[in-house]
Amino acid sequence: MTDSAIPPRVLLGPGPSTVEPRVLAAMSRPLIGHLDPEFLRIMDDTQAMLRQVLCTDNRMTFAISGTGSAGMEASIVNLVEPGDRVVVVVGGVFGQRLAEQARRNGAEVITVEGEWGCIVDPDAVASAIAGGDTRVVAVVHAETSTGVLQPLDQIIAAAHAQDALVIVDAVTSVGGHPVQLDAWEVDVCYSGTQKCLSCPPGLAPISFNERALERIKERSTPVRSWYLDVGLLEGYWGQDRAYHHTAPISMAFALQEALRIVCEEGLEARYLRHRRHHLALVAGVEAMGLQMQVADPGHRLWSLNAIRVPEGVDEARVRRHLLMRYGIEIGGGLGPLAGQIWRIGLMGSSSTENNVLLVLGALEAALVEQDRPAPPGAGVAAAIAALNVTPEETSGDKSP
Ligand SMILES: *Cc1c(COP(=O)(O)O)cnc(C)c1O
């Protein structure tokens, strides 16, 4: 298949997001070895930028070879020992995935569930944590399957009061919402390259604080995964720079370049840009007579917008229309929300004014195609008004 056989797409799904030409160009650089001094410099630079983006001084801040799920697996497999009591906050698919991984590692898993589209009640999580000798608490910060931003402060405080360590999934928040590992006292946090960092899928940024590394050293059983054993990975990413496995060189080039773009824009400006475009999209969606899945505006993700499919509208047909007619990818619902929501991602380089207006216009056309028209032009008009209320706050707000 040649390049020209792949049609251009506007990526507004739950990931991957738009990748800047600079990042793609970095991936096409000639290969060097994973122990080449030049490559070691790239690792140092990448680790320094990751610390900046995650707001941490953690020495073991690096990238797992694999997608976000590999970051999840690395967190669980290193922290959890068979028989450990692990409390998992489950508000959607990714919370379920965390629970499943903890179970597969022999943990006694206590899930605290919430309605999909609402936060999980922090009080309920705190009492679950206090209900036994809890060793680990795992929570998804940005639940991409529902569009919910889960508050963390009370959960982290409750965990630490019981001497439990906290794993935070920040796959869809890092680069789009503030994530501050040191200030929030997060013990382990992982993300992914393909969401708000706007890099292709393939690496999982991760960070372990000293308390977590200490706990791992005290394990009475070896970490079950050789590939993801942070003690072994420390040999490569730490001082020694000794071979463990061959780093995915081209992906490392890409992540370095993607992080440079994040740092050039500045974290604060980047968050404001995500917020601004989210608010404009919501204004447009509501003006079209559609409803957001997450009722409380304060609990909505800026990076992932879940929209209720109205009665009588064929969910998949709308997505197909957007893709085939306009080359726009959006996501459908997962699990219990399958067929009930659309998920529009405004992640990283995909979060632009142009994309907000484009997807609202295309959504209107897709509803017309099903004889379920929204008020003509209302979505785009409301989004324009919202964008004018929240003027451009950032020089990094580039058009696609
Ligand atoms: C996408 C995602 C993952 C998994 O990442 P992959 O890159 O698909 O492996 C994990 N957690 C959350 C919250 C996600 O959005």
Side-chain angles (χ1 to χ4, degrees):
M1 194 183 227
T2 60
D3 275 357
S4 60
I6 300 177
R9 299 289 194 221
V10 179
L11 296 174
L12 301 181
S17 61
T18 307
V19 176
E20 300 279 351
R22 266 174 71 177
V23 175
L24 295 173
M27 294 182 84
S28 66
R29 286 179 197 145
L31 281 204
I32 56 177
H34 59 281
L35 295 172
D36 187 306
E38 194 52 45
F39 192 73
L40 302 185
R41 267 195 290 278
I42 290 173
M43 289 167 67
D44 287 338
D45 186 41
T46 300
Q47 288 181 279
M49 288 191 289
L50 281 176
R51 288 187 193 103
Q52 214 176 311
V53 169
L54 296 169
C55 301
T56 182
D57 291 330
N58 288 345
R59 136 184 97 78
M60 275 309 280
T61 301
F62 62 106
I64 293 284
S65 305
T67 64
S69 304
M72 184 187 286
E73 198 123 32
S75 308
I76 294 286
V77 80
N78 279 283
L79 246 49
V80 172
E81 288 197 77
D84 279 358
R85 187 177 199 272
V86 177
V87 170
V88 184
V89 180
V90 179
V93 164
F94 294 103
Q96 289 180 332
R97 187 174 296 183
L98 268 168
E100 173 63 14
Q101 291 191 3
R103 268 183 222 111
R104 286 181 182 222
N105 279 279
E108 176 207 337
V109 174
I110 316 291
T111 59
V112 186
E113 321 247 340
E115 217 177 301
W116 289 35
C118 301
I119 63 166
V120 179
D121 177 12
D123 288 330
V125 180
S127 36
I129 292 169
D133 179 20
T134 305
R135 300 279 290 166
V136 175
V137 177
V139 55
V140 177
H141 185 215
E143 181 47 84
T144 320
S145 63
T146 62
V148 168
L149 184 71
Q150 174 72 37
L152 299 177
D153 46 353
Q154 202 184 328
I155 294 173
I156 293 171
H160 288 161
Q162 300 281 315
D163 213 21
L165 297 184
V166 180
I167 296 172
V168 170
D169 176 320
V171 176
T172 296
S173 46
V174 168
H177 280 268
V179 175
Q180 302 189 331
L181 300 195
D182 288 359
W184 298 355
E185 299 187 43
V186 174
D187 299 298
V188 179
C189 177
Y190 59 89
S191 189
T193 44
Q194 52 145 329
K195 313 255 168 122
C196 298
L197 295 175
S198 277
C199 183
L203 287 174
I206 196 165
S207 188
F208 293 79
N209 68 10
E210 292 305 316
R211 188 163 34 193
L213 294 173
E214 206 48 49
R215 172 76 71 85
I216 294 165
K217 277 210 201 83
E218 289 165 2
R219 287 178 62 106
S220 53
T221 58
V223 173
R224 284 184 174 187
S225 166
W226 179 89
Y227 196 74
L228 299 173
D229 182 335
V230 71
L232 298 177
L233 290 168
E234 204 172 343
Y236 182 53
W237 285 95
Q239 296 294 323
D240 298 347
R241 299 296 195 210
Y243 169 72
H244 175 259
H245 68 271
T246 309
I249 306 293
S250 305
M251 274 309 301
F253 291 160
L255 178 57
Q256 182 194 27
E257 197 62 27
L259 289 169
R260 279 180 178 153
I261 292 174
V262 173
C263 293
E264 283 165 17
E265 181 176 10
L267 290 176
E268 212 49 47
R270 196 174 176 90
Y271 304 146
L272 286 172
R273 172 165 64 83
H274 279 79
R275 177 172 169 273
R276 175 174 190 261
H277 298 143
H278 157 73
L279 292 175
L281 184 76
V282 171
V285 160
E286 290 179 342
M288 289 172 75
L290 303 172
Q291 261 188 352
M292 299 297 289
Q293 169 71 16
V294 182
D296 185 335
H299 296 156
R300 289 176 188 154
L301 288 178
W302 302 335
S303 44
L304 192 284
N305 303 274
I307 298 161
R308 298 285 316 163
V309 176
E311 205 66 43
V313 171
D314 182 338
E315 180 275 319
R317 185 165 142 193
V318 166
R319 271 188 294 131
R320 214 158 38 238
H321 191 75
L322 293 187
L323 189 68
M324 294 309 165
R325 181 96 180 207
Y326 304 109
I328 301 170
E329 176 178 281
I330 68 166
L334 300 175
L337 292 176
Q340 301 195 18
I341 59 170
W342 295 297
R343 291 184 300 150
I344 299 182
L346 293 173
M347 300 179 179
S349 297
S350 288
S351 176
T352 64
E353 285 194 341
N354 294 31
N355 284 341
V356 169
L357 300 182
L358 178 71
V359 75
L360 287 169
L363 188 55
E364 180 177 336
L367 292 174
V368 168
E369 194 264 338
Q370 288 192 32
D371 276 329
R372 298 285 309 214
V380 169
I384 292 169
L387 289 166
N388 287 338
V389 171
T390 326
E392 203 96 344
E393 284 134 321
T394 149
S395 56
D397 191 1
K398 285 167 289 176
S399 300

